[in-house]
Amino acid sequence: MKILACAACLFVLAQAQPPAPPAAQSRATVIRAGRLIDPATGTATANQTIVVENGRITAMGANVATPPGAEIIDLSRLSVLPGLVDAHNHLALTYKKDPESDVYYLTYVLDSTALRAIQAVSNGMQMMSAGFTVVRDLGNNGNYADTALRVAIEQGWVPGPTIVNSGIIIGGMGGQFSPTPEMAKDHNIVYPEYLDADTHDEIVKAVRQNILFGAKVIKVCVDCKPYPYTVEDLKTFVAEASNAGLKVAGHVQTKVGALRAIEAGFWSLEHAGPLDDEVHRLMAQKGIWRVGTETPFTTYRGTKDAFDRTVAGMKNAWANGVKMAFSTDADYYIPGMTRGEVVINFLLSWKASGIPAKDVLKIMTTNGYEVCDLASRRGPIKVGFPADMIAVGGNPLEDLDALRTVTFVMKDGLVFKRDGVMTPEKFLHAGPVNGWRIR
Ligand SMILES: [Zn+2]
């Protein structure tokens, strides 16, 4: 009875409530862009005006009228472009040298989901400050800290990128952990970092659990154990996810796993280790995304040999016409660097690949919106779309290093960073200003 009464109350409440006011101000904002870049075509147009109202772009061009009372933002000495995308990160995971020797199994034991959700908000802001307005977040986020982050951003509590999150990574028994029998069987240590699914029914149930708890993409450990999923298993993931309109991303670490995921019709392959010329040809044929997480060789991470293999793989993928995304797997702490600074330093890999700057810029923006399955509703600077944009000095179509210094960031029409300083006040609210029904 109690439950029924509560449900009825909520229903009445929902009927009686007026629609929530939008988080964005009703006052128009006008942006004067010295150079407006369209990464989809690799072109730039000088002296453009962009009008933003209620969070969306309502007009743009060389000669558009300024609405009365509009706030003018002068970016006439800068290049304005759409926000960047990291197609593979884990914002609610940060493993560290001290105290856990970069072993994330220990991070999971030491850091609660609640702490990791707060960390995710901070990491999200660090990503936004570096110009990333979209992050595809692929698991290892405790008990759905990724959903909490997405919902908090979308409801309007905190600033952050648009999050396309996977919920819990689904895998064969054990996930990516190698627990003792005691920890696995007596203490259930694998969950919630991984969701075991070993049979057809368990796969269906695991996919549905993630969707119920807010996943917007399904992440599968295809071959993390000596008992990789079969093609039939993997097709079950694709069928069940697509029944809810979701795509499937496959972590692959063997060639057998990659070939099976391709045959099963996966949307994207995560990590590039096993992707050779044969695999790349098949991916290009079937239009499967390569989300390669190409780690650069730096003083703080990587080896020369691994980097050489990474760059050779990027060149081969590009030569084969594989669809590529900018992605990092940057889920670790480097003292002195923000999460965004660690991520943008992956430019080192893309520059070494020899892919022209304008194509890399397209990969970091246009391709990113596509691999996130957002392109029809967010990303490009276009009338009717949410006003997400960044500004940099110089011209990133010619020099990618221009992206290292993002001085202006707008998200959903609100200014997050201006003149190189974060200004998050307008994003902070004590309640769900965009509506509590966003889940
Ligand atoms: Zn990852």
Side-chain angles (χ1 to χ4, degrees), residues 88-90 138-140 169 176 219 251 271 293 329 331:
H88 186 130
N89 206 309
H90 307 271
L138 291 182
N140 289 128
I169 299 170
Q176 286 176 283
K219 165 86 175 290
H251 165 111
H271 314 300
T293 64
D329 211 12
D331 48 9

Side-chain angles (χ1 to χ4, degrees), residues 46 52 70 102 116 130 137 253 258 260 279 322 367 390 399 426:
V52 175
D102 285 334
R116 290 169 64 178
D137 195 307
Q253 56 195 54
R260 288 182 182 181
V279 176
V322 178
N367 286 19
I390 65 174
D399 175 16
K426 294 232 164 58

Side-chain angles (χ1 to χ4, degrees), residues 10-44:
L10 278 175
F11 181 73
V12 171
L13 195 66
Q15 296 295 303
Q17 268 185 346
Q25 302 160 295
S26 52
R27 185 186 172 200
T29 306
V30 169
I31 294 152
R32 306 238 184 263
R35 181 192 282 125
L36 180 61
I37 292 176
D38 178 7
T41 56
T43 57

Side-chain angles (χ1 to χ4, degrees), residues 315-379:
K315 286 178 191 288
N316 184 270
W318 179 249
N320 275 304
V322 178
K323 296 198 293 188
M324 299 170 83
F326 181 89
S327 56
T328 65
D329 211 12
D331 48 9
Y332 38 85
Y333 173 54
I334 305 298
M337 296 176 82
T338 69
R339 180 64 63 95
E341 287 167 346
V342 171
V343 164
I344 200 64
N345 210 23
F346 278 60
L347 283 176
L348 291 173
S349 305
W350 290 91
K351 285 165 67 179
S353 75
I355 300 172
K358 71 176 178 52
D359 295 301
V360 175
L361 191 64
K362 183 180 176 192
I363 286 167
M364 296 177 78
T365 52
T366 310
N367 286 19
Y369 314 136
E370 287 178 17
V371 75
C372 290
D373 211 10
L374 288 173
S376 63
R377 58 188 191 278
R378 185 182 287 277

Side-chain angles (χ1 to χ4, degrees), residues 360-410:
V360 175
L361 191 64
K362 183 180 176 192
I363 286 167
M364 296 177 78
T365 52
T366 310
N367 286 19
Y369 314 136
E370 287 178 17
V371 75
C372 290
D373 211 10
L374 288 173
S376 63
R377 58 188 191 278
R378 185 182 287 277
I381 298 178
K382 192 161 124 178
V383 170
F385 271 41
D388 294 357
M389 65 194 86
I390 65 174
V392 300
N395 184 357
L397 287 170
E398 289 161 9
D399 175 16
L400 288 169
D401 285 325
L403 299 174
R404 289 180 180 276
T405 313
V406 172
T407 57
F408 174 84
V409 178
M410 172 175 273

Side-chain angles (χ1 to χ4, degrees), residues 104-315:
Y104 80 98
Y105 183 80
L106 296 177
T107 315
Y108 160 60
V109 173
L110 291 167
D111 294 353
S112 67
T113 295
L115 184 61
R116 290 169 64 178
I118 293 170
Q119 190 177 66
V121 172
S122 176
N123 281 333
M125 290 175 66
Q126 294 166 49
M127 291 293 289
M128 282 252 284
S129 184
F132 289 83
T133 56
V134 177
V135 174
R136 188 163 168 262
D137 195 307
L138 291 182
N140 289 128
N141 291 312
N143 206 354
Y144 296 99
D146 53 334
T147 296
L149 173 67
R150 178 180 60 70
V151 170
I153 292 168
E154 291 181 5
Q155 288 192 357
W157 301 85
V158 294
T162 294
I163 303 292
V164 179
N165 65 305
S166 73
I168 299 176
I169 299 170
I170 305 171
M173 185 182 285
Q176 286 176 283
F177 282 166
S178 302
T180 60
E182 295 84 352
M183 293 310 287
K185 304 304 285 183
D186 301 338
H187 300 288
N188 202 20
I189 192 78
V190 173
Y191 187 85
E193 211 60 27
Y194 296 94
L195 190 46
D196 282 350
D198 293 285
T199 65
H200 177 274
D201 290 358
E202 287 171 357
I203 290 170
V204 170
K205 209 155 199 168
V207 170
R208 290 185 181 184
Q209 174 181 320
N210 271 339
I211 297 169
L212 177 64
F213 297 141
K216 299 300 174 189
V217 58
I218 296 300
K219 165 86 175 290
V220 180
C221 239
V222 172
D223 51 5
C224 295
K225 287 284 176 269
Y227 33 86
Y229 282 121
T230 64
V231 173
E232 195 193 346
D233 293 333
L234 298 174
K235 283 183 174 169
T236 303
F237 278 104
V238 174
E240 191 55 37
S242 77
N243 185 40
L246 269 58
K247 311 295 192 205
V248 183
H251 165 111
V252 292
Q253 56 195 54
T254 65
K255 187 165 174 179
V256 168
L259 291 172
R260 288 182 182 181
I262 290 168
E263 190 180 339
F266 270 38
W267 174 254
S268 64
L269 299 189
E270 311 297 316
H271 314 300
L275 309 186
D276 62 10
D277 186 63
E278 183 195 356
V279 176
H280 279 149
R281 279 171 200 272
L282 289 168
M283 289 172 74
Q285 263 172 36
K286 293 193 76 170
I288 294 171
W289 286 97
R290 175 187 146 115
V291 182
T293 64
E294 296 88 356
T295 305
F297 175 40
T298 57
T299 51
Y300 55 84
R301 205 167 179 88
T303 64
K304 176 83 171 66
D305 281 356
F307 186 60
D308 289 346
R309 284 195 300 277
T310 293
V311 172
M314 295 171 90
K315 286 178 191 288

